[in-house]
Amino acid sequence: MSRLPPTILIVDDDPAQRQLLSDFLGRRGFLTQQAASAEEALNSIRESLPALVLLDVRLPGQSGLEMLTEARKFAPNLPIVLITAYGELRQAVVAMKAGATDYLTKPLDLDELLAVVSESVPGGALPEAHKFSLPPLPEGFVCQSLALRRVLETAAAVAPAEVPVLITGESGSGKEWLARIIHLWSRRSGGPFLAISCAAVPETLLESELFGHIKGAFTGAVQTRPGLFRSAAGGTLLLDEIGEMPLHLQAKILRVIETGEILPVGADKPERVNVRLVAATNRNLEEMVTTGKFRADLFYRLNVIELRVPPLRERMEEILPLARHFATQLTHHPVRFSPEAEECLLTYSWPGNVRELRNAVHRGCLLSRGNVILPEHLPPAVTRTLPTGDHTPATGRLSQLEQAAILAALNECGGNRTRAAQKLGISRRALIYKLRAMEAEGMTLPGPGGRSAG
C-alpha cells in the first residue's frame, strides 16, 4: 500500500495567498489544508496533525507568534515554518527561540520555500510529484534556459491567484511579456490586458489616465473618461515603471489594492473595480523605500512573490533562437546568421537585453539584402566583441573555487541548504541563487538527506 503524501497546513488570513501556496505545493505532490486564523489552525492541528505548518506572523486576533507558543504545548515536535515580512526579522529571531523550525521572508522565493519544506518535513522525503509542465506559451515566445524556465514556473503558480504581482528586471528584458503571460494563464484571460508606462505619462495627467475623470473636473475635461482601471474591468492592468509614480498616487494605488475602489478625478463617491494588478520596474524599490521615494506599505502589498526576469546575458541559450525568430518575423522568410555573426551575438553582453537584440537583428536584416547576416551587418558595438580565444561568457558563472566550496558545504550538511548557507556565511537565498547557476551549467547537486537533487 502506497503512503499518503505529507500534509502541509497553510495559515494566512489572505485567501489569495493561501490558495497560491496550496496550488504550488499541490502541484509538487503535497496534500494541503488551509486556515485563516490562529484559532482555526490550532483546531486543525488538534484534529489531524499535519506534517508541517506554514504560519504567517501577522494574523487577525491571536498572532502567529502567540499561536506558535500555544501549539508547542501539545505538539512539541511539529515542524512550524514562520513567514514574515522583510523588516520583521527581529520577530523571526524571537520565533526561532520560541521553537519555530525555520522562517521565510516575504517576498517569497518559491524555490526557497520548496527547499525549506523538504528539509523540515519529517524524513526529508519529497512526495512523488507529477512532472511539472508549463501551460501553453504565446506564439513566438522563446524559453530555452533554466533561468527563464524557473521564472515561468513561479508565474504559473502565481497566475491563478488574485494576489498583486511585482515583476522586476533590467530594461528590455521582457517584463511586459511576462505580465501578458500571467494574464494568459490567469482566470481573467478572457478579459482585457491593458498597460501603461508611469514614466511616459506626465504627472499631471497620470491620475486621470488611471482613475478617469468626470466632465468638468478640470480645464479641458470636456467629457467623462473611464480611465484604465475601469477599462480593464475583469482583466489585468500592468503599471509599468511603477518606481516613477509620484508618492501621492502611490497612496491611491494602495487604496485600490486594499479596498477595490477608485475615486475618479472630480467625483464625490468611490467606485468599485474588478482588476488584477501587475506592476513592473527596472529600479530597486527596496532602496527607494529606505530613501523615502517609494511607499513601504505599497511595496510589501505588491511584492508578495518575487518575479525577477533574468537579463539576456544570463539566458545565453536563447540568444540565437530569439535572433532567428526576430529575423523571420521581420523578413517573412528564413534568414541565416554566419558563424562569425553568431559568435558576435553570443559574446556581446546585451545591456539593452531582448529589446537591443531585436534592434540589432532588424539592422542586420535591412543591411544584408539577402538571406545571410554577416558581422558587418550588425551594430558596431556588437561586432567589437568578436573574440580571438576562449569566448565562453563568464557573466553569471561561479568560479571553480566557489563551486567546490559550495559542494563541500552541501555534502558536509547532508544537502541541507539552510545549514550549508550558515556554514558558508551567506544567506540561504543567496545560496539558492548560486545553486541555480550551478544547475544551469549541468551540475548535479546533493539534495536533502544526501540524495541527488537533479
Side-chain angles (χ1 to χ4, degrees), residues 76-354:
N77 299 317
L78 173 63
I80 300 178
V81 176
L82 267 291
I83 298 176
T84 181
Y86 182 86
E88 296 177 343
L89 294 184
R90 184 174 298 176
Q91 283 187 315
V93 173
V94 172
M96 295 295 286
K97 292 180 179 178
T101 308
D102 210 330
Y103 70 89
L104 294 162
T105 57
K106 295 179 181 179
L108 290 176
D109 181 309
L110 294 182
D111 284 334
E112 185 182 12
L113 168 67
L114 193 60
V116 170
V117 168
S118 66
E119 291 169 6
S120 304
V121 166
L126 287 173
E128 283 293 327
H130 299 291
K131 183 175 176 59
F132 183 77
S133 57
L134 293 174
L137 287 162
E139 184 179 356
F141 188 85
V142 175
C143 174
Q144 295 193 9
S145 67
L146 180 62
L148 186 56
R149 164 83 189 195
R150 288 186 181 275
V151 175
L152 292 175
E153 287 180 355
T154 303
V158 171
E162 287 295 305
V163 294
V165 176
L166 178 64
I167 303 173
T168 63
E170 296 178 8
S171 180
S173 58
K175 297 187 292 296
E176 183 169 337
W177 261 105
L178 184 57
R180 290 181 180 276
I181 288 172
I182 289 172
H183 173 72
L184 176 67
W185 290 347
S186 75
R187 298 184 179 96
R188 297 172 171 267
S189 57
F193 175 90
L194 300 180
I196 183 172
S197 171
C198 299
V201 180
E203 182 178 333
T204 53
L205 298 179
L206 186 56
E207 182 174 2
S208 173
E209 287 291 316
L210 291 171
F211 305 117
H213 62 255
I214 64 173
K215 182 179 178 180
F218 50 84
T219 304
V222 295
Q223 60 184 8
T224 297
R225 286 194 60 185
L228 289 172
F229 271 98
R230 282 186 285 187
S231 298
T236 304
L237 175 61
L238 169 64
L239 302 180
D240 199 7
E241 302 306 339
I242 195 169
E244 310 302 324
M245 180 178 285
L247 283 167
H248 75 279
L249 284 185
Q250 291 177 28
K252 297 188 176 185
I253 296 296
L254 179 64
R255 177 176 173 79
V256 177
I257 295 174
E258 293 181 336
T259 68
E261 295 180 341
I262 63 168
L263 184 65
V265 178
D268 297 324
K269 294 190 295 186
E271 297 183 28
R272 291 201 64 79
V273 289
N274 175 22
V275 175
R276 169 75 174 278
L277 196 62
V278 178
T281 183
N282 60 6
R283 301 187 66 179
N284 187 327
L285 293 189
E286 285 189 43
E287 288 185 359
M288 294 181 68
V289 167
T290 60
T291 57
K293 296 179 180 177
F294 199 86
R295 292 182 64 104
D297 45 8
L298 178 59
F299 173 65
Y300 297 132
R301 289 305 299 265
L302 289 173
N303 205 11
V304 176
I305 295 292
E306 186 171 349
L307 274 180
R308 171 186 171 268
V309 181
L312 191 56
R313 61 183 175 275
E314 294 179 13
R315 299 149 47 191
M316 303 297 292
E317 307 94 316
E318 288 157 7
I319 291 176
L320 294 182
L322 278 170
R324 296 183 187 113
H325 168 71
F326 290 146
T328 302
Q329 188 182 56
L330 290 163
T331 62
H332 305 291
H333 61 74
V335 174
R336 291 191 304 109
F337 292 83
S338 72
E340 294 79 11
E342 289 185 348
E343 202 165 10
C344 290
L345 295 176
L346 289 171
T347 54
Y348 183 57
S349 63
W350 299 108
N353 293 293
V354 178

Side-chain angles (χ1 to χ4, degrees), residues 365-382:
C365 292
L366 291 173
L367 297 182
S368 67
R369 300 180 183 178
N371 295 332
V372 180
I373 294 178
L374 304 173
E376 54 262 35
H377 301 143
L378 297 172
V382 176

